[in-house]
Amino acid sequence: MAIPRLTDSYFEDHSRRVGYKTVNEAIKEFEKDCNFEVKLPTLMPKIPFTHEFGSLNNENGIKNNILEILYVNRKLKGNQFKIEIRKEETHFDGEIYRLHDGKNGIYFEDHLFTYLVFEQNNLQYQIGLDKKVANQDTVKVLIEVADSIK
């Protein structure tokens, strides 16, 4: 039995089979379910991405209350950036940073990503950058991305 080649179309088909949609499909469904307009950053981390996917997740038994957008580079495994948007606020512990609009963001790390969590447009945003591409300016990069959401 031959092993399938990981072409872009195979990668995209596999992603759909495991529940990912296009970003636009996921945003429209989230906006409909949560009755909020989603704004995405106009500035992204300066690393190359080959694909973007969206998915909807359930938390605390509430259907589709988390929108996840994932930017990946199929050839560079560490080039990952993700955005999670929630209607309900979730508490996070971490270091507090001031955003340009005067609101606070909370910076923290897990074993794979560095994150910044903040409120914008009545939604909670959690943006994360893979630690493999993180550097000493990661907080600055995440704050710049956060500040580009209007």
Side-chain angles (χ1 to χ4, degrees):
M1 177 189 222
I3 297 173
R5 289 186 51 220
L6 291 179
T7 63
D8 282 347
S9 61
Y10 176 82
F11 184 71
E12 291 163 6
D13 290 344
H14 175 71
S15 298
R16 277 202 173 277
R17 282 194 302 274
V18 297
Y20 284 99
K21 310 169 183 235
T22 69
V23 170
N24 286 339
E25 288 171 333
I27 287 173
K28 284 179 185 176
E29 193 171 333
F30 181 79
E31 288 177 335
K32 180 182 173 207
D33 288 347
C34 293
N35 202 28
F36 278 97
E37 182 181 1
V38 170
K39 301 285 187 178
L40 294 180
T42 57
L43 181 70
M44 297 290 284
K46 292 179 175 39
I47 56 175
F49 302 113
T50 60
H51 293 81
E52 59 183 46
F53 301 103
S55 68
L56 297 164
N57 299 303
N58 307 325
E59 186 174 70
N60 300 326
I62 303 170
K63 180 185 174 199
N64 296 342
N65 64 339
I66 300 173
L67 168 64
E68 180 182 357
I69 300 171
L70 183 61
Y71 299 89
V72 299
N73 188 313
R74 189 175 68 81
K75 296 176 182 168
L76 300 171
K77 300 274 186 244
N79 282 22
Q80 294 186 78
F81 175 69
K82 68 179 175 177
I83 302 169
E84 289 184 9
I85 303 171
R86 292 176 173 78
K87 183 177 175 183
E88 293 85 20
E89 184 177 334
T90 300
H91 177 75
F92 293 93
D93 291 319
E95 195 170 342
I96 296 175
Y97 285 86
R98 177 90 48 203
L99 304 179
H100 287 104
D101 64 4
K103 295 179 185 173
N104 288 334
I106 300 171
Y107 176 81
F108 67 97
E109 298 181 8
D110 70 11
H111 63 288
L112 295 176
F113 282 80
T114 60
Y115 292 100
L116 183 69
V117 177
F118 56 95
E119 303 286 325
Q120 185 72 331
N121 303 320
N122 296 314
L123 296 168
Q124 184 179 57
Y125 285 74
Q126 178 180 336
I127 58 176
L129 189 59
D130 192 303
K131 280 186 168 182
K132 293 176 187 146
V133 294
N135 60 39
Q136 68 273 14
D137 293 330
T138 300
V139 173
K140 180 182 175 195
V141 168
L142 292 175
I143 289 172
E144 288 173 350
V145 171
D147 285 333
S148 77
I149 300 171
K150 302 295 178 204

